[in-house]
Amino acid sequence: MKLTIVEYPDKRLRQVSKEVTAFDKDLHDLLDAMNPMMINTNGIGLAAIQVGYAIRALILNIPDEDGEQPPENLLEIINPIITDKSGESLYQEGCLSVPKFYEDIKRYEKISINYQDRDGNTMQLDAEGLLAIAIQHEMDHLEGILFIDKLSYAKRKKFEKEYKKMLKERKKS
Ligand code: Y12
Ligand code: CO
């Protein structure tokens, strides 16, 4: 399965993704194709909508202390729901769908989620630190929300100007 990253300002990123009800080969093929796409582009998280599939599925692989992302650390999260949240943290986020832009975003420091795995089994996860931040970032994608939507008016204006310039320069080369 050949996938490409959907980039801002593509309107597909604004879709609200649909609940996954079939835990079948199509889902497994998509998840299997998303993983190399995420790893090869230096990503740590990827939602299905970022490759054009509006379903409530996301993957994460937080680098270990050596910066490695071994396959056994891969998390596949389907139909997640936040059941608990606490604290506050600020972290410089980036997104494969918004290349070359990074900004500090405020998120919950700790979250608990219920979700399903690729076979539809019910799972529970308590997360903190970068994992908690990345889950919140990816869960926003399921609602059509991007981290740039959380910027102040002034920062968003600056971003739009710089991003437009970047796209123009990329087109030339
Ligand atoms: C903080 C909060 C949330 C996340 C998870 C989602 N973001 C990513 O995985 C971002 C990856 C990313 C990778 C890039 O590298 C390449 O594309 C090769 C990148 O660089 C460029 O766009 C040039 C930007 C973002 C992570 C952290
Ligand atoms: Co993103």
PDB file of all heavy atoms in Angstrom, residues 50 94-96 137-138 141, ligand 2:
ATOM      1  N   GLN A  50      -3.791  11.634   8.363  1.00  0.00           N
ATOM      2  CA  GLN A  50      -2.593  12.257   7.790  1.00  0.00           C
ATOM      3  C   GLN A  50      -2.108  11.520   6.541  1.00  0.00           C
ATOM      4  O   GLN A  50      -1.253  12.019   5.815  1.00  0.00           O
ATOM      5  CB  GLN A  50      -1.465  12.323   8.819  1.00  0.00           C
ATOM      6  CG  GLN A  50      -1.734  13.266   9.979  1.00  0.00           C
ATOM      7  CD  GLN A  50      -0.578  13.301  10.934  1.00  0.00           C
ATOM      8  OE1 GLN A  50      -0.531  12.521  11.886  1.00  0.00           O
ATOM      9  NE2 GLN A  50       0.388  14.167  10.686  1.00  0.00           N
ATOM     10  N   GLY A  94       5.807  19.366  16.701  1.00  0.00           N
ATOM     11  CA  GLY A  94       5.918  19.416  15.254  1.00  0.00           C
ATOM     12  C   GLY A  94       4.920  18.424  14.696  1.00  0.00           C
ATOM     13  O   GLY A  94       4.358  17.615  15.440  1.00  0.00           O
ATOM     14  N   CYS A  95       4.689  18.473  13.401  1.00  0.00           N
ATOM     15  CA  CYS A  95       3.688  17.595  12.791  1.00  0.00           C
ATOM     16  C   CYS A  95       4.117  17.287  11.363  1.00  0.00           C
ATOM     17  O   CYS A  95       4.504  18.202  10.620  1.00  0.00           O
ATOM     18  CB  CYS A  95       2.335  18.299  12.798  1.00  0.00           C
ATOM     19  SG  CYS A  95       1.006  17.344  12.047  1.00  0.00           S
ATOM     20  N   LEU A  96       4.044  16.018  10.991  1.00  0.00           N
ATOM     21  CA  LEU A  96       4.428  15.638   9.627  1.00  0.00           C
ATOM     22  C   LEU A  96       3.550  16.326   8.587  1.00  0.00           C
ATOM     23  O   LEU A  96       3.968  16.491   7.446  1.00  0.00           O
ATOM     24  CB  LEU A  96       4.360  14.114   9.472  1.00  0.00           C
ATOM     25  CG  LEU A  96       5.467  13.338  10.200  1.00  0.00           C
ATOM     26  CD1 LEU A  96       5.168  11.849  10.172  1.00  0.00           C
ATOM     27  CD2 LEU A  96       6.828  13.628   9.602  1.00  0.00           C
ATOM     28  N   HIS A 137      -1.821  15.148  20.775  1.00  0.00           N
ATOM     29  CA  HIS A 137      -1.615  15.737  19.439  1.00  0.00           C
ATOM     30  C   HIS A 137      -2.323  14.877  18.376  1.00  0.00           C
ATOM     31  O   HIS A 137      -3.042  15.390  17.516  1.00  0.00           O
ATOM     32  CB  HIS A 137      -0.106  15.826  19.167  1.00  0.00           C
ATOM     33  CG  HIS A 137       0.267  16.285  17.803  1.00  0.00           C
ATOM     34  ND1 HIS A 137       0.886  17.498  17.554  1.00  0.00           N
ATOM     35  CD2 HIS A 137       0.127  15.700  16.591  1.00  0.00           C
ATOM     36  CE1 HIS A 137       1.080  17.636  16.258  1.00  0.00           C
ATOM     37  NE2 HIS A 137       0.650  16.550  15.639  1.00  0.00           N
ATOM     38  N   GLU A 138      -2.103  13.562  18.462  1.00  0.00           N
ATOM     39  CA  GLU A 138      -2.692  12.662  17.451  1.00  0.00           C
ATOM     40  C   GLU A 138      -4.211  12.567  17.607  1.00  0.00           C
ATOM     41  O   GLU A 138      -4.930  12.477  16.609  1.00  0.00           O
ATOM     42  CB  GLU A 138      -2.062  11.270  17.537  1.00  0.00           C
ATOM     43  CG  GLU A 138      -0.561  11.217  17.277  1.00  0.00           C
ATOM     44  CD  GLU A 138      -0.137  11.911  16.003  1.00  0.00           C
ATOM     45  OE1 GLU A 138      -0.905  11.926  15.025  1.00  0.00           O
ATOM     46  OE2 GLU A 138       0.977  12.474  15.977  1.00  0.00           O
ATOM     47  N   HIS A 141      -5.954  15.226  15.778  1.00  0.00           N
ATOM     48  CA  HIS A 141      -6.121  14.961  14.336  1.00  0.00           C
ATOM     49  C   HIS A 141      -7.454  14.250  14.057  1.00  0.00           C
ATOM     50  O   HIS A 141      -8.073  14.473  13.018  1.00  0.00           O
ATOM     51  CB  HIS A 141      -4.980  14.084  13.803  1.00  0.00           C
ATOM     52  CG  HIS A 141      -3.728  14.834  13.471  1.00  0.00           C
ATOM     53  ND1 HIS A 141      -3.675  15.771  12.469  1.00  0.00           N
ATOM     54  CD2 HIS A 141      -2.468  14.762  13.986  1.00  0.00           C
ATOM     55  CE1 HIS A 141      -2.434  16.257  12.382  1.00  0.00           C
ATOM     56  NE2 HIS A 141      -1.687  15.663  13.296  1.00  0.00           N
TER      57      HIS A 141
HETATM   58 CO    CO B   2       0.311  15.992  13.618  1.00  0.00          CO
END
